[in-house]
Amino acid sequence: MHGDTMNSSRHESDFLVIGSGIAGLTFAINASQLGTVNIVTKKKEFDSNTNYAQGGIASVLSPDDTFESHIEDTLRSGAGLCNRASVEFLVRKGPDRIKELVEWGTRFSTSESSRGSQNLDLGREGGHSHNRIVHATDLTGREIERALLDKISRIPRIRIFEDHTAIDLLTEHQLKKPAGYYRRQKNRKVNCHGAYILSNRTGEVMIFNAGITFLATGGVGQVYLHTTNPDIATGDGIAMAYRAGALIADMEFIQFHPTTLFRKDSVGRCFLISEAVRGEGAVLKNTRGERFMEKIHPLKDLAPRDIVARAIDSELKRLGDSHVYLDITSKKKSFLQKRFPNIYEQCLEDGIDISADPIPVVPAAHYLCGGIVSDLDGKTTIENLYVSGESACTGVHGANRLASNSLLEGIVFSHSAFLAIRNEMARSKAPARIPDYPPWNREGTFDFNEWVLVKHDMDDIKRLMWDYVGIVRSDMRLQRAHKRIMFLAEEIHSYYRKSIVSSRVIELRNLATIAKLIIRSAIMRRDSIGLHYNTDHKETDSETANVVLRTGYQPRFIRLEKTNPMDGKWVKVPANPAQPK
C-alpha cells in the first residue's frame, strides 16, 4: 500500500463484481436476488473478451449429439490434464444456461427445420465431433453482452462503475497486525472483504467493501505482442489474487488462436478470423498454395487449436513467410455475407473479398487455460473470494481449451457460484463483520510523468513473451526470459512504489506479475503437452500433473483432479535455483 493518507470514499454492497464480461454480468444478475451488487469495470462501453468472441457457445442441444461426446471431445483436447468431474459438470449444466440466456433476451441465430419450425443454428468448430456451437452470426459475444447489459439496466440493486481499475484485494494483509502475527496463525485462512479501486477519471482511490468478492477479470493476452484480446486484458484479477495468497495453476498453457488477420507491421490487438470459418469448410494453405494440415492430423483443418497453431508456425519458419492463407472461396458470397457479416466486412475494408480471395492469417495469443484455482462452485482458496471465466482454473480446459467452451465455462460456473452462495447465506445467521480498512496512502509518492519509460517496459514484456514464451519454447529461451523478467519486475515495482497510482502503472505491474507466473510455470514443466511445447522436451510425461503456484513459495506439481487444494494446506519445498521465489 502506498503512503500520505487521504480520506477515501467507501462503497458498500453485498457483492462486489470485478469485471463485466459474460461471467461477471451473469453472476451479478443472479446475485441481485440476494442483495446489492457493485460491478467495477475498466472498460468504457463494449470492451471485453466476451464482446470479441465471434464463434459462439458449445452445448449439447441437438438430438444427434450427446453429453458423452462433448465430454470426450473436451478431454481429448485437454491432452490428459482436464479434471473430468469439472468437464462433466460443465457439459451437463450447459443447455440450461443457454436457455437462460435466451430467456434474458439473447438473440441467437436460427435455421428452419424440415418441418418449418425455427431451431437454433448449430455450427461446428475444431476438435468437435458434432455441430453444437450456438452463435449469433459471427458476433456472438457482442449479442450476449448487449442482452445482459439491457437486463441489468432494469435491476435497481445493481450499480456499474465504469472506467475504474482494481488495485488490490482487501485482506488481512492491509490491516496493521503485531509483529509475528501471521507466523502464529497456522493454516490461517485469508479472508477477502473487497478491493481498493481507482477511478481512472478522477484519480481517487476508493474502498469497495463487500461480503462476497467475485473476480471475472478475463484474460492475459496483453502480455504478448500480438493478441486477439482487448487492451484491458492485463490479467488484473489473477495478479491481485496471487499477491493475496490464492493458488494459481496452469499458467504455462496459453492458447494461440491459429487464424487472425495478417496485416503488415500490425502490433497489438489482432482481428480474429473465427474457427467457425474452418467449420464451414475453409482450408489452410501456405504461400505456395499447398494444403498442409492433411499431413498433420486426422481432422485436418479442424484439428485442435494447439496443433493448428504449431503447424502454421512450422510452415512460417520452413518457408520464411510472415503468414499463411485461409481459403473459403468455395462458398458463395451470399452465404458468407449472411454467416460471417462482421468478418466479411472487416476483410473487405482491408481489400480482401473472402468469396474470391484467400485470407492472409497468422497466430496470436488468444486464451489462458489456467488461472486462479477454484472448485465447482467458483470458490478460491481465499475466503469470500469467488472467480469465474478466463480468470479461473476450474480444470475444464486442461492443457488446451476446446473451441467455444470458454463462454460456456463463464455462464456455468458463475451460476454454480450463485447457488453455492445462496445456500451458504440461507445457513448463516448473520453476515461476517468487515474490518475497518485504512484509506489509501499516498505518502512519499509523486506524479510520475515519465510515461515513455513505463511504455518501454510494457513493450519489453510483450516482445520478451512473444519471442521466448510463445507457441514453441526451449529451455534456453525460457531461462533468458526469466532472467530478463526478474530485472524488469524489480524496475516496475520501483515505479509502482514511488508514483501516484494510475491505471497504466497498475496494468504494467500486473503484466509483469503475469509474465513471471507464465515463465515460472513453463520452466517447471519438463515435458511437452497441449499448448506448452518445448523443443528440448518433446515427450509428454505419463504422470503429468498441474503446475501450481503460490506467492512466497516454490512452484509445485499437484494433480488437481486427485488432490483437494482447497484445504488450505501448502508445504514449502526445497529451493530450486531455476525457480526463485
Side-chain angles (χ1 to χ4, degrees):
M1 186 177 68
H2 284 271
D4 188 32
T5 304
M6 301 177 62
N7 290 325
S8 299
S9 60
R10 296 174 187 263
H11 296 273
E12 296 183 358
S13 59
D14 297 302
F15 300 92
L16 171 62
V17 177
I18 304 177
S20 58
I22 189 172
L25 296 181
T26 54
F27 175 80
I29 290 170
N30 281 315
S32 67
Q33 302 173 43
L34 307 175
T36 55
V37 183
N38 283 335
I39 300 175
V40 169
T41 176
K42 288 197 297 184
K43 71 181 186 177
K44 304 170 186 176
E45 299 177 350
F46 288 102
D47 198 17
S48 69
N49 277 355
T50 296
N51 185 47
Y52 291 113
Q54 295 177 351
I57 309 179
S59 192
V60 178
L61 297 167
S62 167
D64 299 325
D65 199 1
T66 64
F67 287 141
E68 288 70 25
S69 176
H70 190 179
I71 290 167
E72 289 306 313
D73 289 347
T74 301
L75 295 174
R76 190 182 307 110
S77 183
L81 256 186
C82 295
N83 182 325
R84 188 180 186 101
S86 297
V87 172
E88 291 183 354
F89 185 84
L90 173 81
V91 170
R92 296 182 186 280
K93 299 292 184 182
D96 286 342
R97 303 282 65 79
I98 298 293
K99 293 174 185 175
E100 185 173 62
L101 288 179
V102 173
E103 291 170 0
W104 288 349
T106 306
R107 299 187 291 258
F108 290 116
S109 296
T110 59
S111 60
E112 190 172 326
S113 69
S114 57
R115 297 180 178 179
S117 60
Q118 291 293 319
N119 297 323
L120 289 174
D121 183 49
L122 303 178
R124 186 174 176 183
E125 296 180 356
H128 289 275
S129 56
H130 292 77
N131 284 36
R132 61 170 71 103
I133 313 302
V134 183
H135 62 94
T137 62
D138 58 349
L139 291 168
T140 307
R142 184 176 300 178
E143 169 57 21
I144 292 172
E145 195 156 290
R146 178 207 61 77
L148 296 179
L149 288 172
D150 181 62
K151 184 170 181 62
I152 281 175
S153 69
R154 299 192 297 273
I155 301 176
R157 278 184 162 186
I158 300 177
R159 185 178 178 188
I160 300 179
F161 292 81
E162 289 189 337
D163 204 16
H164 284 65
T165 301
I167 305 173
D168 269 317
L169 298 173
L170 293 172
T171 65
E172 288 87 343
H173 298 94
Q174 285 93 2
L175 301 173
K176 293 180 180 179
K177 294 291 183 181
Y181 172 82
Y182 292 113
R183 289 194 298 273
R184 295 194 297 269
Q185 306 298 309
K186 293 184 178 180
N187 294 323
R188 175 185 56 86
K189 284 276 190 180
V190 176
N191 285 269
C192 180
H193 301 106
Y196 282 116
I197 304 292
L198 169 71
S199 167
N200 298 330
R201 187 175 58 84
T202 67
E204 180 188 6
V205 177
M206 296 166 282
I207 292 174
F208 277 68
N209 285 136
I212 297 292
T213 301
F214 189 86
L215 292 176
T217 50
V220 303
Q222 286 299 324
V223 79
Y224 284 95
L225 191 64
H226 304 287
T227 178
T228 62
N229 292 186
D231 291 342
I232 63 172
T234 50
D236 302 337
I238 297 170
M240 289 191 300
Y242 176 73
R243 288 193 292 268
L247 296 191
I248 311 294
D250 291 349
M251 293 297 290
E252 71 272 35
F253 298 124
I254 304 291
Q255 188 175 80
F256 289 80
H257 198 288
T259 54
T260 67
L261 182 61
F262 171 76
R263 294 164 170 145
K264 290 182 181 179
D265 304 321
S266 64
V267 175
R269 196 180 75 80
C270 306
F271 181 75
L272 187 149
I273 306 297
S274 171
E275 193 155 343
V277 177
R278 280 183 284 136
E280 295 291 354
V283 296
L284 287 160
K285 297 179 180 178
N286 59 30
T287 53
R288 297 177 180 177
E290 302 164 337
R291 294 185 63 176
F292 53 89
M293 286 306 301
E294 294 177 331
K295 302 175 183 177
I296 302 294
H297 194 274
L299 289 175
K300 302 176 184 177
D301 300 278
L302 283 174
R305 289 177 176 175
D306 60 323
I307 294 170
V308 178
R310 278 201 303 274
I312 293 174
D313 185 71
S314 177
E315 286 297 299
L316 297 181
K317 290 174 178 173
R318 182 175 72 87
L319 298 175
D321 289 330
S322 56
H323 62 277
V324 296
Y325 288 104
L326 185 65
D327 191 343
I328 195 166
T329 56
S330 60
K331 296 291 185 180
K332 293 181 178 180
K333 179 182 288 191
S334 57
F335 170 81
L336 296 173
Q337 289 175 323
K338 181 179 179 181
R339 178 65 177 87
F340 305 110
N342 186 44
I343 293 173
Y344 186 90
E345 289 301 323
Q346 184 63 60
C347 287
L348 206 58
E349 287 182 16
D350 281 54
I352 304 162
D353 180 352
I354 66 174
S355 66
D357 308 313
I359 309 167
V361 294
V362 67
H366 182 59
Y367 192 88
L368 170 67
C369 289
I372 305 163
V373 175
S374 68
D375 62 12
L376 294 180
D377 294 327
K379 190 173 184 179
T380 73
T381 50
I382 294 178
E383 290 292 298
N384 307 318
L385 180 66
Y386 290 75
V387 64
S388 180
E390 195 171 351
S391 301
C393 181
T394 60
V396 298
H397 303 310
N400 182 27
R401 174 179 69 92
L402 181 65
S404 288
N405 269 355
S406 54
L407 295 181
L408 181 68
E409 181 190 31
I411 55 177
V412 166
F413 288 96
S414 290
H415 190 264
S416 65
F418 156 69
L419 294 179
I421 293 167
R422 185 179 67 181
N423 292 338
E424 180 64 27
M425 290 176 72
R427 289 192 296 268
S428 301
K429 294 182 179 179
R433 187 186 71 84
I434 294 178
D436 186 19
Y437 282 90
W440 188 256
N441 202 332
R442 292 176 57 176
E443 183 181 349
T445 64
F446 59 93
D447 192 358
F448 192 78
N449 292 317
E450 295 293 337
W451 170 236
V452 65
L453 299 179
V454 176
K455 185 178 186 302
H456 191 274
D457 277 354
M458 193 171 284
D459 291 342
D460 275 358
I461 291 174
K462 292 169 179 280
R463 197 167 294 278
L464 169 78
M465 295 298 290
W466 185 259
D467 291 342
Y468 297 146
V469 201
I471 298 171
V472 176
R473 303 160 182 176
S474 70
D475 287 348
M476 184 180 74
R477 291 179 188 177
L478 293 174
Q479 290 295 346
R480 185 171 295 182
H482 185 265
K483 186 181 298 184
R484 179 62 179 152
I485 196 61
M486 294 306 290
F487 172 80
L488 281 170
E490 186 176 341
E491 189 174 85
I492 290 164
H493 182 67
S494 177
Y495 292 157
Y496 176 75
R497 296 297 299 176
K498 295 177 181 178
S499 67
I500 293 175
V501 69
S502 70
S503 60
R504 287 171 169 174
V505 173
I506 292 168
E507 290 180 337
L508 178 62
R509 178 197 189 202
N510 290 337
L511 284 176
T513 298
I514 294 299
K516 283 197 298 183
L517 296 178
I518 295 171
I519 294 168
R520 291 175 68 190
S521 297
I523 290 175
M524 184 77 173
R525 185 168 293 287
R526 310 290 286 180
D527 65 346
S528 288
I529 178 173
L531 300 167
H532 175 75
Y533 186 80
N534 188 322
T535 56
D536 294 314
H537 310 279
K538 295 183 179 180
E539 299 301 317
T540 299
D541 189 333
S542 60
E543 297 298 323
T544 294
N546 306 83
V547 177
V548 183
L549 306 105
R550 182 181 174 189
T551 184
Y553 294 77
Q554 297 297 333
R556 289 184 61 194
F557 275 118
I558 298 176
R559 183 61 173 171
L560 293 175
E561 184 177 19
K562 299 178 181 178
T563 308
N564 179 20
M566 314 306 289
D567 58 12
K569 296 177 182 177
W570 186 265
V571 182
K572 287 188 177 181
V573 297
N576 180 343
Q579 293 291 330
K581 292 182 181 178

